[in-house]
Amino acid sequence: QLAMGQSTESGSFMLGCGIAHPPRFFSQQDIAALFGLSPKGLRFFEHPHIKTRALALPELPFTPESAGQLRQRALKITLELASEALRRASANAHVALSSIDCLIAVTSTSFATPGLSAQLAQALGLKE
């Protein structure tokens, strides 16, 4: 078991961790009602171990968005949350954001060009 910042044989290690999530939490029932799920679809929201979900939705009820508006909003909140998590991880590790050499970002919520990692690097002033 490794302690925070302890190196491994491969030379890889983790110095800090940061977590960020959308500010609003919704009950499983609220989400199911919001999306008008069928009884079959409700099965995914009846798991006893999941009580709430943090979703990047505006206040309810909200106005439906076009696909383009949804992608824009998804990218905006993704950049905000990822930036917040990176700032927290950097502070936790006592490492300046400008000293980060590599950033890998993986998402399944949005399509963005330039990619999320490039946009985060620019927004946070990471090395080019």
Side-chain angles (χ1 to χ4, degrees):
Q1 197 172 27
L2 294 175
M4 189 74 83
Q6 182 178 348
S7 63
T8 66
E9 289 180 22
S10 68
S12 300
F13 55 93
M14 179 172 59
L15 293 175
C17 181
I19 298 171
H21 54 76
R24 292 179 193 86
F25 287 82
F26 299 90
S27 73
Q28 294 283 78
Q29 295 78 20
D30 287 345
I31 295 170
L34 175 68
F35 293 109
L37 297 178
S38 68
K40 187 175 182 178
L42 288 173
R43 293 182 304 166
F44 294 102
F45 292 88
E46 293 175 344
H47 195 285
H49 299 293
I50 301 173
K51 304 293 183 215
T52 61
R53 292 179 187 263
L55 299 179
L57 292 174
E59 293 292 335
L60 298 179
F62 68 94
T63 305
E65 301 167 296
S66 70
Q69 290 169 320
L70 180 60
R71 276 193 303 276
Q72 267 187 325
R73 190 171 54 77
L75 179 58
K76 180 180 181 286
I77 193 72
T78 299
L79 288 169
E80 289 171 1
L81 293 173
S83 294
E84 182 179 336
L86 284 167
R87 283 187 194 98
R88 288 179 180 175
S90 174
N92 180 273
H94 305 290
V95 170
L97 284 169
S98 60
S99 69
I100 294 174
D101 290 322
C102 179
L103 175 63
I104 301 169
V106 179
T107 180
S108 62
T109 60
S110 173
F111 175 79
T113 303
L116 181 59
S117 56
Q119 291 189 50
L120 283 168
Q122 183 179 23
L124 295 170
L126 304 183
K127 292 179 183 178
E128 293 184 3

